[in-house]
Amino acid sequence: MAIIELKNIYKKYGDQSDVIEDFNLSIEQGEFVVFLGPSGCGKSTILRMIMGLESITSGELKIKGKLQNNIPAKHRNIAMVFQNYALYPHMSVFNNIAFGLKVRKTPRKEIKEKVTKVADLLNLTPYLKRKPKNLSGGQMQRVALGRAMVRDTDIFLMDEPLSNLDAKLRTTMREELVQLHRNLSATTIFVTHDQMEAMTMGDKIVILDAGKIQQVGSPDEIYHQPENLFVAEFIGAKKMNLLELTKDERGVTYSNQVIKLPVFEADKEADILGVRAEDCRLSLTEGYPFEITFIEKLGSDQYIHGISDGEKVIVREKPEKTFEVGQQIYFTINEEKIHWFNRETGEKVRPKNG
Amino acid sequence: MDKQANFKQLFVFVLIPLIPLVIFWIIPLIISVWLSLTNWDYISPTYEYVGLDNYLNLINNDAFLDALNNTLLFTVATVIPTIVLGFVFAVMLNQLRKTKGFLQGLMFAPWITPMVGMSIVWSWMFNPSVGPINQVLGLFGLPEPNWLSDSSTAIWAVIIVTVWKGVGWAMLFFSDALTKIPKGLFEAADVEGAGLGQRIRMILIPLVSPMTLFLFIILTLDALQAYDQISILTQGGPSGSTRTLLYLYYEMTFQQFNIGAGTAVTVLILIISAFLAFLSMILSKKFVFY
């Protein structure tokens, strides 16, 4: 059953153009959904609309089947973790975690029990009496998390909760959050601009750009089957190589070599060839021309950056091969791993029966 | 070398600024304490040392005890309403967008207007026959007191003027403190289900508490030193009902030329101020969040 349903959601500030345009999504019970997109794509706005901190201009938001558009945040019974944690500076860790319970007039004994349990789970027990200013970033992050967990709710919203942590702590917290999600089996919406976070944590990733959904899918799906040029370029440690194809009397060509096109469904045309760095190989003798401009060694692999017929191309190679900047060689493409796109629409073009 | 430079710095930055402080504050303070132990009359070239007589006389003097009483009433009844109303107005104006600046300016205006001028306007406002206050009260069928000439209402009239002057000032300080509270804290409280009352009680008030303490200290010292409005509105009367300690000091020193008794009053005012400052420091540890 869908626990959160968003239907034709629009958001507009004053007379400006839409910040969110026709947003449709349904989220299942217990899913870990990641909203991923560049800054200003509207991902936080949607999260805040689900929470009730932003009004919905038009469209329907349903939680557990009930329309929420006009229900104030405090009655939605959703927990939220803020990017800057929003801890109350004048309260101890204990009181910060207990705030929501106190506000709801929970009996003292119950508050103590619940807070102790959550603090234990998050390794915060030694710090319960401290004020936020005496905590490290990771500890503050856990307090913010504890404040959400102590609430009697099964929906968690997280607005870039890891972005203020250093790289190492971020990796650890990523694992802890996934673990926690498994234990609590609460529905979680996680907003981030970091694709590594999205790929490693999400069951379902929603990619947004300019207020519109670009693609919804599992991490594998969005990596291996990008629906459009934006997703192809946005996802992946290295953006996908996109080669512009030209048409002449011989057919479709790239770098003066004829490219064999598959038959596309519904007479659509493809004029961009997309291929990931790991699906290309460098060769000394055959393929498309390639001039090495930069070599990026990562230990386990190396990425060779180059220019081919005016286009930037990146090829992943094994670390033991040696190349030199300025070398004029060739690269080949694994034909089974090609993605076809139409430049005008930006959409993927699918081969018939494939 | 270093020591010389240090001495030069000490001289320029500490000793020079200390000169006016010593001449105009510390020396007069010491002289005042000395004078309070004498019976000087302001004119005679000679005077005698009388020990603590001035203080003992004050304690047995009804005028002094009344003035002490008036001072405490005046202080409590101006400081608390000024802080409470200043806070309430700050919270209310903080919700506005377009008219906020204008209304803040309007409310702050009394603070920059000289007290003497305002007191003259207010003495007309309080006038029982032509004053607008009683005309309005009359419209609603409420009692119309003889504000400034009745010994039971005169001090309240002075208190109203003082609070009216201070509220805009306190409001401006609170407004500044409010804008410094991160918006996220209110959103977090909203998410956790806190209503307006709970948000004000559990977040707003604790977070502006350093400002509250600051205003409390400044307004208290201000109240202890209130002179202008009393001088214009009531001259300490009727029958001493608005005579505060400072006004008593003024009367004793510059009307009765009893310097010894007058300075004894100021020394007591100083002791009261010091005691209140000390008290607020102790209270601040308990109630103020930094």
Side-chain angles (χ1 to χ4, degrees):
Chain A
M1 184 196 98
I3 186 162
I4 301 174
E5 256 188 298
L6 297 122
K7 249 190 218 160
N8 312 105
I9 298 275
Y10 282 80
K11 176 74 190 177
K12 213 176 207 181
Y13 292 107
D15 294 334
Q16 290 163 358
S17 58
D18 296 320
V19 180
I20 303 294
E21 221 182 305
D22 199 20
F23 188 93
N24 289 286
L25 185 69
S26 88
I27 295 167
E28 305 294 318
Q29 168 72 45
E31 258 185 325
F32 197 116
V33 179
V34 178
F35 288 177
L36 175 66
S39 310
C41 70
K43 53 196 191 297
S44 286
T45 309
I46 295 166
L47 196 77
R48 291 167 61 83
M49 285 197 284
I50 297 173
M51 186 63 246
L53 296 172
E54 295 277 353
S55 63
I56 295 168
T57 309
S58 72
E60 279 186 354
L61 166 67
K62 280 184 183 169
I63 295 175
K64 293 176 185 164
K66 280 188 200 138
L67 193 67
Q68 302 286 314
N69 289 38
N70 296 317
I71 293 181
K74 63 172 179 163
H75 294 309
R76 291 196 189 180
N77 200 24
I78 304 174
M80 179 159 171
V81 178
F82 291 84
Q83 180 174 8
N84 50 15
Y85 316 135
L87 300 182
Y88 309 115
H90 57 296
M91 293 183 195
S92 64
V93 168
F94 182 95
N95 283 333
N96 260 290
I97 297 176
F99 186 84
L101 299 172
K102 280 189 179 169
V103 158
R104 281 164 213 267
K105 306 256 180 322
T106 316
R108 223 168 247 274
K109 211 179 136 204
E110 201 184 323
I111 293 182
K112 188 142 196 247
E113 264 170 34
K114 284 190 171 171
V115 174
T116 314
K117 204 175 133 201
V118 167
D120 205 34
L121 203 66
L122 293 171
N123 294 325
L124 284 170
T125 314
Y127 313 110
L128 280 176
K129 282 188 182 149
R130 286 204 198 168
K131 295 262 173 76
K133 68 173 176 192
N134 298 323
L135 297 177
S136 69
Q139 288 162 350
M140 290 204 274
Q141 208 275 335
R142 291 208 296 273
V143 176
L145 210 58
R147 206 163 60 175
M149 279 163 59
V150 82
R151 296 265 310 279
D152 195 16
T153 176
D154 51 2
I155 301 175
F156 288 91
L157 306 184
M158 303 191 184
D159 191 0
E160 309 214 20
L162 306 182
S163 62
N164 289 344
L165 303 179
D166 62 63
K168 201 177 160 202
L169 196 56
R170 207 179 303 173
T171 322
T172 330
M173 284 311 295
R174 215 146 67 189
E175 285 162 24
E176 282 185 32
L177 275 179
V178 171
Q179 199 66 44
L180 203 69
H181 171 73
R182 272 196 210 121
N183 294 341
L184 300 171
S185 70
T187 311
T188 305
I189 305 179
F190 188 101
V191 164
T192 182
H193 62 265
D194 181 339
Q195 52 155 317
M196 278 298 283
E197 249 168 60
M199 299 292 272
T200 50
M201 297 175 81
D203 296 328
K204 182 147 108 186
I205 298 178
V206 178
I207 299 182
L208 284 152
D209 183 44
K212 275 190 229 165
I213 291 186
Q214 302 297 321
Q215 188 170 354
V216 179
S218 69
D220 273 348
E221 280 168 354
I222 61 162
Y223 186 79
H224 293 295
Q225 296 151 41
E227 286 292 323
N228 56 38
L229 286 171
F230 177 81
V231 176
E233 289 194 279
F234 191 68
I235 293 297
K238 293 281 171 279
K239 66 179 211 144
M240 189 183 274
N241 296 317
L242 299 171
L243 309 177
E244 297 244 358
L245 305 178
T246 35
K247 243 183 187 173
D248 61 19
E249 65 279 2
R250 289 173 293 165
V252 171
T253 62
Y254 173 71
S255 189
N256 230 352
Q257 299 181 39
V258 177
I259 304 268
K260 213 167 67 194
L261 289 185
V263 184
F264 294 113
E265 58 185 8
D267 43 64
K268 281 187 176 158
E269 274 188 49
D271 45 15
I272 289 182
L273 181 161
V275 63
R276 292 215 177 265
E278 62 264 33
D279 298 323
C280 299
R281 282 285 164 274
L282 291 179
S283 159
L284 296 174
T285 49
E286 49 158 2
Y288 310 103
F290 186 85
E291 184 187 346
I292 299 175
T293 54
F294 175 58
I295 298 171
E296 193 180 351
K297 289 192 189 268
L298 295 179
S300 58
D301 294 301
Q302 56 180 339
Y303 284 99
I304 317 295
H305 297 242
I307 302 253
S308 165
D309 203 23
E311 311 249 10
K312 280 188 183 173
V313 173
I314 304 170
V315 178
R316 192 177 80 181
E317 273 293 351
K318 296 204 176 68
E320 52 270 19
K321 292 196 180 176
T322 49
F323 298 98
E324 271 169 47
V325 171
Q327 219 179 340
Q328 305 262 3
I329 47 172
Y330 302 94
F331 79 102
T332 57
I333 292 168
N334 178 350
E335 281 173 19
E336 285 168 21
K337 297 289 178 81
I338 292 177
H339 306 265
W340 304 99
F341 297 98
N342 183 295
R343 189 181 333 148
E344 212 165 299
T345 61
E347 297 296 316
K348 176 178 195 135
V349 185
R350 282 187 187 72
K352 235 176 200 165
N353 64 43
Chain B
M1 274 301 274
D2 253 352
K3 270 200 175 158
Q4 252 183 353
N6 270 345
F7 180 75
K8 260 188 202 162
Q9 282 182 358
L10 193 75
F11 183 76
V12 172
F13 291 114
V14 180
L15 293 182
I16 292 183
L18 266 180
I19 293 170
L21 199 67
V22 169
I23 294 177
F24 295 109
W25 195 65
I26 295 177
I27 293 175
L29 185 73
I30 293 166
I31 293 176
S32 292
V33 173
W34 163 245
L35 284 176
S36 74
L37 303 173
T38 69
N39 65 354
W40 191 38
D41 63 3
Y42 207 53
I43 297 158
S44 316
T46 59
Y47 51 84
E48 284 162 17
Y49 172 74
V50 296
L52 291 174
D53 278 8
N54 286 325
Y55 292 93
L56 295 174
N57 287 342
L58 279 181
I59 291 169
N60 295 317
N61 180 349
D62 282 346
F64 171 77
L65 294 177
D66 284 346
L68 182 64
N69 202 15
N70 289 339
T71 303
L72 295 180
L73 173 67
F74 181 79
T75 305
V76 172
T78 54
V79 171
I80 291 173
T82 306
I83 287 179
V84 172
L85 290 174
F87 177 75
V88 169
F89 279 118
V91 171
M92 276 165 36
L93 291 185
N94 208 28
Q95 317 289 325
L96 303 174
R97 268 195 210 138
K98 283 183 186 159
T99 49
K100 182 177 166 186
F102 174 72
L103 289 174
Q104 279 184 338
L106 207 63
M107 285 198 66
F108 187 66
W111 184 260
I112 52 170
T113 315
M115 196 68 183
V116 174
M118 287 186 324
S119 298
I120 292 169
V121 174
W122 273 97
S123 63
W124 166 74
M125 299 263 288
F126 282 126
N127 186 304
S129 47
V130 298
I133 292 180
N134 275 7
Q135 290 190 7
V136 172
L137 289 177
L139 273 181
F140 293 98
L142 292 164
E144 301 173 44
N146 286 325
W147 288 101
L148 296 171
S149 46
D150 185 332
S151 61
S152 65
T153 53
I155 192 151
W156 293 104
V158 180
I159 287 168
I160 288 170
V161 175
T162 311
V163 170
W164 174 78
K165 177 176 180 172
V167 164
W169 183 74
M171 177 274 302
L172 211 60
F173 276 85
F174 274 128
S175 292
D176 181 58
L178 290 181
T179 54
K180 290 197 174 110
I181 299 176
K183 205 172 141 237
L185 292 188
F186 295 107
E187 288 182 345
D190 200 13
V191 165
E192 300 204 47
L196 183 66
Q198 285 168 322
R199 265 180 278 174
I200 289 178
R201 194 162 42 82
M202 297 171 86
I203 297 174
L204 258 186
I205 292 180
L207 286 180
V208 298
S209 60
M211 189 56 82
T212 313
L213 176 72
F214 166 77
L215 291 173
F216 177 79
I217 293 172
I218 299 290
L219 286 168
T220 304
L221 295 179
D222 239 26
L224 289 174
Q225 293 169 8
Y227 170 79
D228 297 0
Q229 59 271 56
I230 298 168
S231 166
I232 303 283
L233 287 169
T234 60
Q235 290 88 41
S239 59
S241 63
T242 57
R243 188 189 289 130
T244 59
L245 284 179
L246 196 78
Y247 206 81
L248 181 72
Y249 152 77
Y250 167 76
E251 284 183 353
M252 284 179 158
T253 314
F254 299 110
Q255 290 180 353
Q256 299 160 12
F257 301 113
N258 189 349
I259 302 292
T263 45
V265 173
T266 55
V267 171
L268 289 175
I269 293 176
L270 188 71
I271 290 169
I272 292 172
S273 305
F275 171 73
L276 286 174
F278 179 69
L279 191 73
S280 54
M281 268 163 65
I282 290 178
L283 288 178
S284 71
K285 292 219 169 79
K286 206 164 170 202
F287 296 110
V288 176
F289 149 77
Y290 289 102

